[in-house]
């Protein structure tokens, strides 16, 4: 096993209620001929109350193309990632030059050099640190990144590794090209970052860290579902990214993710009823309901995900780490309680991470 010993979640400073965001989108031409009422229905159905944005609302209208939006992404992503990385290391009580591997994930902008490379010198990472920047996994990348960190630590049991997730979804909004998928995205997605520090089973921190710093990672499973490539992702145009959200997404989750999770748990002599800590990606109300129905869970099981969705929106890859941080800040599950992290993303794919407290 590997042990999570530090989690830190951060948000940009610009907080807005849903009504404020809707007003700004209308002013920028995000509604087109579909009408303000349609946008308001999408926003109400999202159950999101407020979100945190990389820029002040009034600055989005000035982003006249992908170049300007991506420049804003690089600047804000670097700042938020630094805060997340420093915070996670402080919680873990480890130094930056202890880190052997950094896995970084993002799907909302492009940075070359990648974000963790920009942070290496200023945060004190070793010049020999291994780096694995990941693009393209989307919302599944938080759980997938934690799984890849676990894989590394299985082979380096005295090692230290970091997962860094940063997503600035607001900078992908395309107000001049209104679409139903775009309006759904405009109602759900927010901005944020998070970092996790994990250690191998033979590292001293694995045994001395108090329970509040994080659970053990026991096992992981990745799954690609055939003939689902068109359900979720980006179309890349001259103006940047255009979101793809297939209408069959909730049904696909209902059909596949529940059975996949049941089978994964059964391989460890567990059933869904045995799981005491669910960390499920809050893709939206329909996605959460599909996961709940597919696993026959009580409504309260996914309450941390519902709270996170209402409080900050869908943060793509960073969401599950924000939810994990929320759980660690509250009453903890009893020692030995299993937990399951569940994420879904483009491919269509799912990632499962079995945890234990």
């Amino acid at each position: 096993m590997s042990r999570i010993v530090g989690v830190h979640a951060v948000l940009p400073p610009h907080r807005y209620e849903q009504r404020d965001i809707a007003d700004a989108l209308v002013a920028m031409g995000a509604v087109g001929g579909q009408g303000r009422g349609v946008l308001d229905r999408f926003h109400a159905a999202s159950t999101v109350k407020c979100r945190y944005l990389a820029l002040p609302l009034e600055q989005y209208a000035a982003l006249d193309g992908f170049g300007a939006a991506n420049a804003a992404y690089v600047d804000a992503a670097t700042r938020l990632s630094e805060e997340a990385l420093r915070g996670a290391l402080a919680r873990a009580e480890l130094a930056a030059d202890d880190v052997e591997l950094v896995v970084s994930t993002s799907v909302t902008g492009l940075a070359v050099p990648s974000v963790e490379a920009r942070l290496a010198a200023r945060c004190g990472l070793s010049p020999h640190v291994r780096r694995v920047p990941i693009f393209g996994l989307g919302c599944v990348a938080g759980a997938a990144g934690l799984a890849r960190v676990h894989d590394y630590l299985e082979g380096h049991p005295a090692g230290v590794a970091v997962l860094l997730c940063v997503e600035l979804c607001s900078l992908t909004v395309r107000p001049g090209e209104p679409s139903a998928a775009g309006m759904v995205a405009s109602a759900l997605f927010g901005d944020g970052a998070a970092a996790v520090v994990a250690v191998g089973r033979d590292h001293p921190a694995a045994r001395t860290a108090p329970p509040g710093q994080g659970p053990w990672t026991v096992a992981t499973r990745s799954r690609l579902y055939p003939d689902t490539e068109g359900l979720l992702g980006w179309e890349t145009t001259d103006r940047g990214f255009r979101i793809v959200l297939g209408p069959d997404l909730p049904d696909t989750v209902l059909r596949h993710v529940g059975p996949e999770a049941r089978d994964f748990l059964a391989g460890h002599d567990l059933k869904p009823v045995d799981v005491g800590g669910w960390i499920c990606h809050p893709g939206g109300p329909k996605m959460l309901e599909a996961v709940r129905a597919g696993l026959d869970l009580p409504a309260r099981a996914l309450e941390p995900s519902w709270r996170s969705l209402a409080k900050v929106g869908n943060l793509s890859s960073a969401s599950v780490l924000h939810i994990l941080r929320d759980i660690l800040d509250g009453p903890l599950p009893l020692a030995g309680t299993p937990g399951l992290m569940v994420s879904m993303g483009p491919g269509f794919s799912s990632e499962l991470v079995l945890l234990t407290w």
Side-chain angles (χ1 to χ4, degrees), residues 2 31 66-67 84 92 122 132 143 209 246 249 252 269 297 306-307 324 353:
S2 59
V31 175
F66 179 67
R122 59 207 271 183
V132 183
L249 265 175
T252 301
D269 297 321
L297 299 176
W306 285 105
R307 285 199 302 267
L324 176 58
V353 180

Side-chain angles (χ1 to χ4, degrees), residues 2-233:
S2 59
R3 176 82 188 274
I4 295 170
V5 293
V7 184
H8 193 63
V10 300
L11 296 162
H14 312 293
R15 179 186 181 277
Y16 296 98
E17 303 290 326
Q18 283 286 73
R19 171 64 61 174
D20 298 327
I21 295 173
D23 289 344
L25 288 168
V26 170
M28 289 187 287
V31 175
Q34 300 183 75
R36 171 65 185 263
V38 175
L39 183 70
D40 285 342
R41 285 196 295 274
F42 280 127
H43 278 239
S46 72
T47 72
V48 177
K49 304 301 182 186
C50 62
R51 282 174 284 169
Y52 294 76
L53 306 184
L55 302 177
L57 265 177
E58 61 272 15
Q59 293 185 15
Y60 283 87
L63 300 176
D64 57 359
F66 179 67
N70 200 67
Y73 165 87
V74 172
D75 178 63
T78 303
R79 286 187 283 105
L80 289 172
S81 296
E82 180 175 1
E83 183 180 350
L85 176 59
R86 290 185 184 278
L89 287 167
R91 288 179 184 268
E93 299 181 355
L94 291 171
D97 61 4
D98 292 330
V99 177
E100 300 172 10
L101 171 78
V102 179
V103 175
S104 64
T105 74
S106 187
V107 76
T108 50
L110 300 173
V112 182
S114 51
V115 169
E116 82 290 339
R118 296 168 187 262
L119 295 180
R122 59 207 271 183
C123 290
L125 295 172
S126 166
H128 303 291
V129 68
R130 299 168 175 89
R131 301 184 295 116
V132 183
I134 298 174
F135 179 89
L137 289 180
C139 298
V140 81
L146 184 58
R148 302 295 76 79
V149 162
H150 175 68
D151 292 343
Y152 174 82
L153 293 172
E154 284 283 272
H156 300 79
V160 179
V162 165
L163 169 63
L164 181 61
C165 299
V166 59
E167 303 288 7
L168 305 181
C169 305
S170 68
L171 294 172
T172 69
V173 172
R174 302 163 57 88
E177 300 177 14
S179 67
M183 284 199 286
V184 171
S186 77
L188 284 172
F189 288 95
D191 299 344
V196 170
V197 179
V199 297
R201 62 185 178 273
D202 293 340
H203 192 282
R207 297 296 176 185
T208 60
Q213 285 187 265
W216 293 84
T217 300
V218 178
T220 72
R221 178 183 284 189
S222 305
R223 178 65 190 269
L224 278 166
Y225 302 101
D227 303 318
T228 60
E229 293 90 345
L231 282 180
L232 180 63

